[in-house]
């Protein structure tokens, strides 16, 4: 058993430099690799989170600009429709005025034509009445013999 303990002691004594090297390697890994890696990963995480936040902010800004653009577009369309409606009302007003003037002028012409026709009718009646007396005289002369006519000199 002493021999085993001696062998075990020799093995432990032989493994001490390996353990020391292992511990130095773990410390070196922590100092040279782990800490810089953690720092880089932290920066990367911060940048990623910042980029996501910036993207969210950019999306919000784009949505706000889109809403403002749509609002301006809606207002512009409303103004165009209002201007169009105003123009149509103006044209309708002008058309109605022109129609009113044309109707008034036509009514005036019709009234003048009626007056002219009434004058012509009155003149024609007078001519017919004047001619009817003469015509009846001619008919009487033609139909009745010369001595039997009323109003003939006897």
């Amino acid at each position: 058993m002493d021999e085993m303990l001696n062998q075990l002691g020799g093995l432990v004594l032989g493994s001490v430099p390996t353990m020391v090297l292992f511990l130095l390697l773990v410390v070196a890994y922590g100092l040279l690799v782990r800490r810089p890696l953690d720092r880089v990963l932290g920066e990367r995480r911060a940048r990623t989170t910042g980029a996501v936040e910036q993207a969210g902010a950019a999306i919000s800004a784009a949505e706000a600009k889109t809403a403002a653009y749509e609002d301006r577009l809606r207002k512009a369309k409303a103004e165009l429709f209002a201007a169009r409606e105003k123009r149509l009302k103006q044209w309708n007003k002008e058309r109605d005025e022109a129609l009113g003037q044309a109707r008034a002028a036509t009514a005036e012409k019709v009234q003048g034509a009626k007056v002219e026709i009434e004058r012509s009718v009155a003149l024609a009646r007078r001519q017919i009445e004047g001619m009817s007396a003469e015509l009846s005289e001619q008919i009487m002369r033609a139909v009745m013999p010369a001595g039997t006519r009323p109003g003939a000199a006897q």
Side-chain angles (χ1 to χ4, degrees):
M1 177 120 156
D2 276 340
E3 191 177 313
M4 263 174 81
L5 284 175
N6 279 337
Q7 286 179 351
L8 192 57
L11 285 174
V12 170
L13 192 58
S15 66
V16 168
T18 305
M19 283 189 233
V20 170
L21 284 174
F22 179 75
L23 288 176
L24 283 175
L25 184 63
V26 168
V27 170
Y29 170 76
L31 290 174
L32 296 174
V33 176
R34 179 66 188 232
R35 284 186 187 163
L37 184 61
D38 285 342
R39 185 173 28 90
V40 168
L41 288 175
E43 288 176 9
R44 183 176 175 191
R45 190 172 295 116
R47 286 181 184 171
T48 304
T49 304
V52 169
E53 290 173 358
Q54 285 178 347
I59 288 171
S60 297
E63 287 175 353
K65 284 183 181 181
T66 301
Y69 172 74
E70 287 175 351
D71 187 47
R72 285 195 328 245
L73 184 63
R74 215 175 298 113
K75 286 179 182 176
K77 282 183 180 180
E79 289 175 5
L80 285 175
F81 285 132
R84 179 177 176 237
E85 192 66 30
K86 183 179 176 184
R87 222 177 19 242
L88 286 174
K89 285 181 182 179
Q90 180 65 30
W91 289 344
N92 286 339
K93 182 181 174 185
E94 290 172 1
R95 183 195 67 207
D96 291 343
E97 288 174 359
L99 284 174
Q101 291 173 356
R103 284 183 183 138
T106 303
E108 206 174 289
K109 286 180 182 179
V110 166
Q111 189 62 33
K114 282 183 181 180
V115 168
E116 186 63 33
I117 289 172
E118 287 175 5
R119 273 194 238 143
S120 295
V121 166
L123 181 63
R125 279 192 182 142
R126 280 185 294 214
Q127 286 177 352
I128 288 173
E129 287 174 2
M131 291 174 78
S132 70
E134 190 179 311
L135 188 59
S136 66
E137 185 69 33
Q138 286 177 2
I139 292 173
M140 289 292 267
R141 274 189 240 142
V143 172
M144 295 186 123
T148 59
R149 281 186 249 150
Q154 297 180 345

